[in-house]
């Protein structure tokens, strides 16, 4: 099949439902939680919406809102420039990334049982190598979707799981990210939690290893994903296209997956 036939076939199969379209995005609302940093640091703003008019005296025939938010609010994309390790990489802001970067295949690693048993579950390189013996080798340039089951906790306090010493949510250790970047050439890491790092990610060396190593190597993050349970382990196609914010470090976005039937 030539590329025109591939595209035509894809569109017709999306229309017929033979290719399913799965929405991996949470609803962006004012009460969706944002990351809370230690109090010595500046904090980020949640999503805010102010209605300008809604078919009334301020605009009789139209409805629209002004919105504002942090770049890392709701289901969102992290660009390499988000972390200090990626600040000097070329074209590492959301407006400069090539559009082809926003389409890639997904590998879904299901660790929901481990994370249900331990909210501080730490994913290691050994875990991934063991997972590969059970499921198959991770192909290059894949979005690694770390399926923790955390999306089912959205709307509850367990989602952020904040305690006196910070958040308690699962995440990778440095060995896991080193392996995914250097041994498997991943495109990025997708997670259901607010950050690609564990809630206690500051305890590692380097601190926040997902941010540090992914972004330092020009890889990306996707956070606050949902519906990962509807994806196959291999073979789905992810479309994750951030807003073209000038010099932006990331952006909320609609993440969709194409899945074969
Ligand atoms: Mn982020």
């Amino acid at each position: 099949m030539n590329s025109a036939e591939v595209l035509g076939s894809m569109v017709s199969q999306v229309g017929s439902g033979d290719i399913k379209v799965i929405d991996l995005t949470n609803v962006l609302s004012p009460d969706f939680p944002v990351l809370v940093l230690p109090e010595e640091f500046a904090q980020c703003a949640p999503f805010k919406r102010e209605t300008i008019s809604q078919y009334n005296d301020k605009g009789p025939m139209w409805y629209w809102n002004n919105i504002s938010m942090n770049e890392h609010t709701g289901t969102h994309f992290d660009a390499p420039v988000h972390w200090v390790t990626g600040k000097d990489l070329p074209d590492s802001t959301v407006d400069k990334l090539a559009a082809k970067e926003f389409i890639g295949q997904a590998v879904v690693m299901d660790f929901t049982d481990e994370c249900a048993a331990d909210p501080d579950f730490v994913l290691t390189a050994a875990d991934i190598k063991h997972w590969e013996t059970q499921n198959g080798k991770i192909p290059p340039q894949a979005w690694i979707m770390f399926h923790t089951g955390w999306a089912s906790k959205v709307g509850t306090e367990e989602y952020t799981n904040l305690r006196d010493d910070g958040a308690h949510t699962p995440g990778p250790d440095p060995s896991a990210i080193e392996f995914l970047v250097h041994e498997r050439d991943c495109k990025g890491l997708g997670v259901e939690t607010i950050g690609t790092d564990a809630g206690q990610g500051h305890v590692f060396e380097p601190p926040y290893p997902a941010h540090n190593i992914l972004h330092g190597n020009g890889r990306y993050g996707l956070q606050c994903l949902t519906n990962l349970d509807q994806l196959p382990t291999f073979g789905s196609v992810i479309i994750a296209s951030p807003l073209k914010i000038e010099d932006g470090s990331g952006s909320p976005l609609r993440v969709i997956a194409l899945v074969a039937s």
Side-chain angles (χ1 to χ4, degrees):
M1 242 194 270
N2 65 36
S3 56
E5 290 166 338
V6 169
L7 285 177
S9 174
M10 191 196 83
V11 168
S12 76
Q13 292 197 40
V14 166
S16 69
D18 290 327
I19 293 175
K20 290 182 289 180
V21 181
I22 308 295
D23 193 343
L24 306 185
T25 319
N26 278 297
V27 175
L28 190 53
S29 69
D31 54 1
F32 197 91
V34 292
L35 202 64
V36 177
L37 295 176
E39 57 187 21
E40 64 264 35
F41 300 117
Q43 303 293 331
C44 65
F47 178 77
K48 184 176 171 188
R49 178 180 58 207
E50 295 173 317
T51 299
I52 305 169
S53 68
Q54 193 166 15
Y55 331 118
N56 52 21
D57 57 343
K58 294 177 178 172
M61 286 181 284
W62 51 91
Y63 165 55
W64 55 354
N65 306 301
N66 285 327
I67 59 173
S68 63
M69 75 214 79
N70 180 275
E71 290 171 330
H72 300 256
T73 304
T75 300
H76 71 273
F77 182 100
D78 282 7
V81 76
H82 178 43
W83 213 251
V84 64
T85 49
K87 73 182 178 62
D88 295 324
L89 293 177
D91 301 332
S92 62
T93 53
V94 282
D95 55 325
K96 301 274 188 3
L97 293 172
K100 67 181 288 192
E101 291 297 307
F102 307 143
I103 300 176
Q105 63 181 316
V107 173
V108 181
M109 297 196 304
D110 184 352
F111 283 88
T112 51
D113 289 344
E114 290 82 352
C115 297
D118 178 8
D120 288 310
F121 174 73
V122 172
L123 182 74
T124 67
D127 292 325
I128 300 170
K129 290 173 189 171
H130 177 71
W131 181 93
E132 283 191 325
T133 67
Q134 310 285 308
N135 294 277
K137 187 174 176 180
I138 296 168
Q141 283 297 300
W143 275 110
I144 309 301
M145 300 302 197
F146 180 37
H147 183 22
T148 57
W150 234 250
S152 68
K153 302 177 190 292
V154 169
T156 75
E157 296 200 342
E158 287 185 333
Y159 183 62
T160 50
N161 210 21
L162 285 169
R163 299 180 204 158
D164 289 344
D165 61 347
H168 288 265
T169 53
D173 79 348
S175 76
I177 302 298
E178 292 280 1
F179 179 78
L180 291 171
V181 169
H182 297 300
E183 306 294 327
R184 293 296 177 267
D185 188 28
C186 70
K187 179 181 285 294
L189 179 68
V191 300
E192 296 166 69
T193 46
I194 295 180
T196 48
D197 275 294
Q200 296 290 301
H202 58 279
V203 305
F204 296 112
E205 184 50 51
Y208 307 106
H211 284 84
N212 184 301
I213 300 163
L214 287 168
H215 301 325
N217 288 280
R219 315 305 159 108
Y220 316 120
L222 284 173
Q223 287 111 121
C224 308
L225 298 171
T226 189
N227 291 331
L228 294 182
D229 58 323
Q230 296 184 40
L231 304 187
T233 303
F234 293 100
S236 60
V237 172
I238 302 297
I239 302 174
S241 182
L243 297 176
K244 202 166 185 171
I245 300 168
E246 185 176 37
D247 298 329
S249 75
S251 115
L253 78 173
R254 191 81 175 245
V255 181
I256 59 175
L258 304 179
V259 177
S261 56

